[in-house]
Amino acid sequence: MNYIGEHLLPGQIGHFFAVLSLMASLVATIAYFRASRVQTVSDKQSWIRLARIAFLLETISVITLFATLYYIISHHQFEYKYAYTHSDKSLQVEYLFACFWEGQEGSFMLWSFWHCVLGWILIWRSKEWEAGVMMVMSFAQFCLATMLIGIYFFGTKVGSSPFSLLRNEMEAPIFSRPEYLSFVKDGTGLNTLLQNYWMVIHPPVLFLGFASTIVPFAYAIAGLMSKKHEWIKPALPWASFSAAVLGTGVMMGAAWAYESLSFGGYWAWDPVENASLVPWLTLVAGLHTNLIYRNSGYSLRPTYFFYIITFSLILYSTFLTRSGILGDTSVHAFTDLGMNVQLLLFLLVFFVPALFLYFKNYKNIPSIVKEENTYSREFWMFIGSLVLFLAGIVIIAKTSTPVINKLFGTKIAPPEDEEFAYNQIQVFVAVVIGLLTAITQYLKYKDTPKAFFGKKIWIPTLLAVIISLCISLFGHVSYDKKGPGFLFAIHLAIFAAVYAVVANTSYIWLGMKGKIKAAGASVAHIGFGLVLVGILISSSKKTVLSWNTTGVTPLRADPKAKRDAVGDPAENITLFKAIPTDMGRYMVTFIGDTLNTRDRKRYFEISFKAKNGSEEFKLYPDVIKQNKGGEGPSANPAAKHYWYKDIFVYITSFQENNHEDTVSFKNREVKAGDTLFYGNGLMVLNKVSVNPKELKAKYADDETALFLDMTVISKDGRRYPVKPGIALKGEAFRNITDTVQSQSLVLKFNKVIDQKTGKLEIGVKESSAITDLITLKVYEFPMINILWLGVMVMVVGFVMSIVQRLKTSRRSVHLVS
């Protein structure tokens, strides 16, 4: 059948280059393997030339795949399943790239792209290690290429192609018609939760971090295969680079979670968050043991192990997030594409041979038998690395509960308070790491005179004690939800974190004589300490401002929704349109809402006025209609940023009343001083005013106006002034109604029944059709900017270390030559 309107050429190009990528990466792997095994220089160079040509073809293929898929998505060619599933015509241009990494195939392609970039840098820089390192890189490319070919091999589907046609992947009656595309008007779109600028920048950085972990791993494998251990030196800058980028990617994810308040903050120990954090912990552990070996000759074996386990954990996290096994425990996980066996093989094909090589060569890896001095830097650096590793093991073990249940048929239930289950352990990890980060740099390698150490360390110790005591005593850190023991641990961790900042800052002057260019490690440690300080203070002092003071809420508690942004309904305040509402330090008013046709978001205007008159500001949180089976709207918060805190406003519910009002007025007789009842309280007529000056805007100069001065009192004691009126001109008259929106109440002055007795007739209508209301949650995060400042400082420190080590390496090469 000839289908009308299909664009088959882009898909054919994509399939061709997917196969070419697979074959080129396989050729490059074999050629680099042969180059690493041959002895003669001419044969080695010959194999390397072939490998480079193959890797060039691989790079061209990946870039072409990337460009072709972008063309399909941007031109809305919905005959392709990937474009139909992940994009639509109304999607903004900035989110077209985000469509790539919403799906598994696009994210694998992104991973492969970064391998190509890193591969060419390695070809340029790795010199004698090129063959061994690029063999591992090329084999990883081959494995990633198998994820994208989407062909059947002996009845088993290998990979999932992003260039598959919709009619070949879905069953529907319309596909039996040649003009089926005329019925496919639009795609299903990008998940509304992902329509955020962080979705554009966070995944590329995170995947660069994932991809870069292969470089220290590849150096380690090359060392084990060649039985040469000089790889430690060129691998060190790569380990620093990988730690910097992966750490940045993880914290970008935290910033995204913070700005979207998906979990009510920047970290919730979500399984996918954990799966990216743990490799970073083991990588930092390996980085420190690498430094130990370079400076003292100790810890080469642990360095091998940490670099191997880091990349293996990246592959394990890939299996966790893409197999669908975390579907019930994480909102970040991909759906199952039926590639679980292939994903597991991707892990095992690297992990098992790497461990085999490691243990086979274990005895031949140089190791100093002499016991380390406890007053040496390397001893405590190793202890710190071990603590990071054990912390990672604890986290990944808890995260792997669904895997354990599936493998062994167990029914291990998650803890009732999942966050606290992690925090009660990791707070003590923070204490130990903070203390070690503070003191270790004051120790020398191999041995440190006790008098020297004491002379250098006492000043920063005293300063840290004073600063941390001030924070504890005057900073109102009083998180008591988990008892006094946990609160004490928080204060202890605050001291350790402050100690890390102060001690490393002091070391730049006390230990390095102010040589800031060589202080990359200290700067990174300062940043890490600031991160700990920011986490501890902002988390323990996070405050809900939106406690419900009205007694009105459309929300219901959902005990199953542990990470629901709504949470406890009592933490959500309901605002009626144009009615100022008391919210602690602020009077808050819902002004109105508007629909932005470009991004399809409804923005709500919320006015905040401090009761003490110190400030006034407006915030504009928004909601967007969910797609892809989501229930209700997806909300995005708005924030007011200060240097010392952030205030977040998050819409948890809203009610529009644009339906027809069918409720009629009920006429009631009343005179001054009388009380009338309505459904939610009572109303009192205070007096009748003729042409009141304060209401002049409601009647004309040639009209005579009568207004009823009334007070509506609700059941919860709230009072609302209301003034319905009537304007007379000759024999004509008109009603001037007044409303109490929060009470769904409309009042109308009908007529004067008897002037002598003062008896009047009013119309009363109770109708929900007049009430626009929203419910929102408001958080205050004190000192949160310390966390983000710490991340930036830590990355700067890593970059400084990389630059310093590259300069040192060049000097060494120059001296040798």
Side-chain angles (χ1 to χ4, degrees):
M1 183 183 295
N2 292 321
Y3 291 96
I4 300 171
E6 285 187 337
H7 303 83
L8 298 181
L9 182 59
Q12 293 166 350
I13 292 172
H15 282 296
F16 172 78
F17 280 99
V19 174
L20 181 59
S21 169
L22 180 77
M23 299 309 298
S25 57
L26 180 60
V27 171
T29 303
I30 295 170
Y32 272 125
F33 175 76
R34 291 295 301 155
S36 68
R37 310 307 292 177
V38 296
Q39 301 299 321
T40 61
V41 175
S42 60
D43 287 347
K44 188 181 190 73
Q45 290 302 316
S46 178
W47 282 111
I48 285 180
R49 278 194 296 271
L50 174 61
R52 288 177 177 176
I53 292 170
F55 194 77
L56 177 61
L57 287 174
E58 159 71 5
T59 303
I60 293 171
S61 299
V62 170
I63 292 173
T64 306
L65 288 172
F66 216 96
T68 304
L69 187 57
Y70 180 79
Y71 178 85
I72 288 172
I73 292 172
S74 62
H75 284 74
H76 310 303
Q77 295 181 348
F78 297 127
E79 57 266 44
Y80 293 98
K81 183 185 176 183
Y82 203 86
Y84 175 78
T85 307
H86 301 296
S87 69
D88 62 56
K89 293 178 180 177
S90 64
L91 202 63
Q92 299 98 293
V93 174
E94 58 265 32
Y95 294 141
L96 289 178
F97 275 111
C99 297
F100 271 86
W101 27 91
E102 187 192 31
Q104 292 203 40
E105 300 92 333
S107 59
F108 278 127
M109 199 181 296
L110 176 63
W111 192 348
S112 185
F113 170 78
W114 284 128
H115 273 178
C116 291
V117 174
L118 296 173
W120 284 108
I121 298 173
L122 285 167
I123 289 172
W124 172 45
R125 297 282 305 175
S126 57
K127 297 180 176 61
E128 70 272 15
W129 292 100
E130 178 186 344
V133 171
M134 286 302 299
M135 175 195 69
V136 177
M137 179 72 80
S138 298
F139 185 61
Q141 285 292 82
F142 171 75
C143 293
L144 289 172
T146 65
M147 302 291 180
L148 299 173
I149 54 173
I151 63 173
Y152 284 88
F153 189 72
F154 293 107
T156 302
K157 188 177 181 182
V158 179
S160 176
S161 173
F163 305 104
S164 296
L165 292 169
L166 186 63
R167 58 181 166 84
N168 292 333
E169 297 293 325
M170 297 177 64
E171 293 185 5
I174 63 168
F175 296 129
S176 63
R177 305 177 64 167
E179 75 283 8
Y180 79 90
L181 271 178
S182 63
F183 300 98
V184 184
K185 301 297 184 183
D186 207 350
T188 59
L190 181 67
N191 192 311
T192 53
L193 292 171
L194 305 180
Q195 292 182 36
N196 184 291
Y197 69 92
W198 281 111
M199 181 60 178
V200 181
I201 59 177
H202 160 60
V205 175
L206 185 65
F207 273 91
L208 175 56
F210 286 166
S212 63
T213 60
I214 198 175
V215 181
F217 172 84
Y219 270 108
I221 297 301
L224 289 171
M225 291 182 68
S226 65
K227 297 180 174 57
K228 298 176 181 178
H229 311 294
E230 294 81 5
W231 63 270
I232 281 286
K233 195 170 184 179
L236 189 54
W238 280 105
S240 297
F241 171 80
S242 186
V245 177
L246 182 57
T248 302
V250 170
M251 292 312 297
M252 277 184 169
W256 182 3
Y258 176 63
E259 288 202 14
S260 67
L261 288 188
S262 302
F263 305 138
Y266 49 81
W267 198 265
W269 297 108
D270 181 84
V272 174
E273 292 175 331
N274 298 345
S276 59
L277 172 65
V278 173
W280 185 80
L281 294 175
T282 57
L283 177 61
V284 172
L287 176 62
H288 283 81
T289 55
N290 195 336
L291 285 167
I292 292 172
Y293 178 73
R294 191 193 67 173
N295 290 282
S296 69
Y298 288 97
S299 297
L300 180 57
R301 289 172 177 172
T303 304
Y304 270 106
F305 176 77
F306 286 138
Y307 285 161
I308 289 171
I309 205 69
T310 294
F311 183 64
S312 300
L313 284 166
I314 291 290
L315 299 180
Y316 180 61
S317 72
T318 301
F319 170 75
L320 284 180
T321 56
R322 296 166 188 276
S323 63
I325 203 165
L326 296 180
D328 295 331
T329 57
S330 173
V331 299
H332 286 135
F334 289 93
T335 55
D336 181 8
L337 281 183
M339 297 195 302
N340 291 6
V341 173
Q342 194 173 347
L343 290 167
L344 187 59
L345 287 174
F346 188 21
L347 164 63
L348 296 178
V349 79
F350 282 92
F351 181 60
V352 173
L355 277 190
F356 173 77
L357 283 172
Y358 176 68
F359 287 112
K360 179 184 177 183
N361 293 283
Y362 186 82
K363 292 182 179 179
N364 298 322
I365 299 173
S367 177
I368 300 175
V369 180
K370 180 183 175 183
E371 186 176 347
E372 295 178 59
N373 189 335
T374 55
Y375 267 82
S376 66
R377 182 183 292 190
E378 63 268 21
F379 178 80
W380 293 108
M381 283 177 68
F382 177 75
I383 295 298
S385 298
L386 190 60
V387 170
L388 288 173
F389 172 69
L390 294 175
I393 292 299
V394 171
I395 295 170
I396 205 67
K398 288 180 179 291
T399 304
S400 299
T401 299
V403 179
I404 295 169
N405 286 340
K406 194 160 188 176
L407 284 177
F408 301 103
T410 55
K411 295 182 179 179
I412 304 172
E416 187 174 340
D417 189 339
E418 204 161 357
E419 287 187 32
F420 182 65
Y422 287 98
N423 290 337
Q424 64 182 338
I425 296 172
Q426 300 307 322
V427 68
F428 292 104
V429 172
V431 172
V432 175
I433 295 300
L435 293 174
L436 292 177
T437 303
I439 66 172
T440 301
Q441 291 215 83
Y442 287 86
L443 296 167
K444 296 179 179 294
Y445 284 104
K446 298 184 179 178
D447 190 27
T448 309
K450 295 180 181 179
F452 172 85
F453 176 71
K455 182 181 178 182
K456 296 287 186 180
I457 200 68
W458 79 267
I459 295 177
T461 303
L462 180 60
L463 287 173
V465 169
I466 294 171
I467 295 171
S468 60
L469 278 176
C470 288
I471 294 173
S472 296
L473 294 175
F474 307 111
H476 305 291
V477 180
S478 54
Y479 183 87
D480 56 359
K481 294 181 182 179
K482 299 301 177 181
F486 188 64
L487 179 59
F488 174 77
I490 290 174
H491 285 287
L492 190 61
I494 288 174
F495 164 72
V498 170
Y499 196 15
V501 175
V502 172
N504 280 277
T505 304
S506 301
Y507 182 77
I508 295 175
W509 278 268
L510 297 176
M512 305 190 71
K513 310 299 182 185
K515 297 177 182 176
I516 191 69
K517 290 184 178 180
S522 294
V523 172
H525 290 158
I526 292 169
F528 180 72
L530 288 171
V531 168
L532 291 181
V533 172
I535 289 172
L536 291 162
I537 294 179
S538 64
S539 298
S540 59
K541 285 173 62 63
K542 184 177 82 170
T543 305
V544 175
L545 301 181
S546 53
W547 291 104
N548 190 344
T549 58
T550 65
V552 179
T553 179
L555 305 176
R556 295 293 180 268
D558 183 359
K560 296 181 181 179
K562 295 183 179 179
R563 295 195 181 114
D564 195 328
V566 173
D568 184 354
E571 296 178 352
N572 298 259
I573 192 167
T574 298
L575 306 180
F576 296 92
K577 191 173 183 179
I579 304 297
T581 303
D582 189 341
M583 195 188 75
R585 300 195 299 268
Y586 299 95
M587 292 300 294
V588 186
T589 307
F590 167 35
I591 305 297
D593 62 273
T594 56
L595 181 65
N596 186 319
T597 55
R598 181 178 181 272
D599 59 14
R600 308 175 309 286
K601 292 180 179 180
R602 183 176 297 278
Y603 289 86
F604 295 85
E605 183 178 356
I606 316 294
S607 172
F608 286 74
K609 291 184 179 179
K611 289 180 180 177
N612 61 9
S614 61
E615 62 175 334
E616 180 178 348
F617 59 89
K618 292 181 180 179
L619 291 175
Y620 300 87
D622 67 80
V623 298
I624 182 173
K625 184 179 179 181
Q626 285 202 51
N627 55 4
K628 304 198 172 183
E631 295 183 5
S634 174
N636 293 297
K640 173 69 173 176
H641 299 288
Y642 301 81
W643 71 267
Y644 62 97
K645 68 177 180 181
D646 283 350
I647 293 178
F648 270 87
V649 179
Y650 189 98
I651 301 294
T652 51
S653 172
F654 70 98
Q655 176 179 307
E656 286 184 287
N657 290 291
N658 49 17
H659 55 276
E660 184 180 354
D661 185 5
T662 58
V663 179
S664 59
F665 282 95
K666 293 182 179 180
N667 296 329
R668 312 280 288 273
E669 293 184 0
V670 65
K671 59 184 178 180
D674 283 355
T675 298
L676 298 175
F677 291 91
Y678 71 102
N680 195 43
L682 55 89
M683 60 190 84
V684 180
L685 174 58
N686 302 313
K687 62 180 181 179
V688 180
S689 301
V690 179
N691 291 345
K693 292 181 180 180
E694 67 272 16
L695 299 175
K696 185 68 179 68
K698 293 189 175 184
Y699 60 91
D701 292 336
D702 58 352
E703 290 180 320
T704 300
L706 285 80
F707 283 90
L708 307 184
D709 185 334
M710 303 182 70
T711 302
V712 173
I713 306 173
S714 65
K715 289 179 180 178
D716 60 3
R718 297 171 70 105
R719 292 173 174 263
Y720 305 93
V722 58
K723 295 181 179 180
I726 188 170
L728 305 169
K729 183 180 180 181
E731 295 183 358
F733 74 92
R734 60 185 178 88
N735 291 107
I736 304 172
T737 60
D738 202 358
T739 63
V740 183
Q741 289 187 331
S742 64
Q743 300 298 301
S744 303
L745 194 63
V746 184
L747 297 179
K748 181 174 68 170
F749 183 6
N750 290 335
K751 62 184 178 180
V752 177
I753 297 176
D754 189 335
Q755 292 186 5
K756 292 182 179 180
T757 61
K759 188 175 289 188
L760 312 169
E761 182 183 277
I762 64 172
V764 180
K765 180 167 70 171
E766 297 182 63
S767 171
S768 61
I770 66 166
T771 306
D772 284 349
L773 61 85
I774 62 172
T775 303
L776 49 85
K777 177 172 280 190
V778 184
Y779 279 122
E780 181 180 272
F781 289 88
M783 297 300 173
I784 186 66
N785 289 323
I786 296 177
L787 168 60
W788 310 127
L789 175 64
V791 173
M792 291 186 285
V793 172
M794 185 166 60
V795 172
V796 168
F798 274 121
V799 172
M800 291 171 63
S801 298
I802 295 168
V803 171
Q804 181 64 23
R805 282 161 192 153
L806 290 175
K807 287 181 178 179
T808 304
S809 177
R810 289 194 197 101
R811 289 194 206 105
S812 300
V813 172
H814 179 71
L815 290 172
V816 170
S817 59

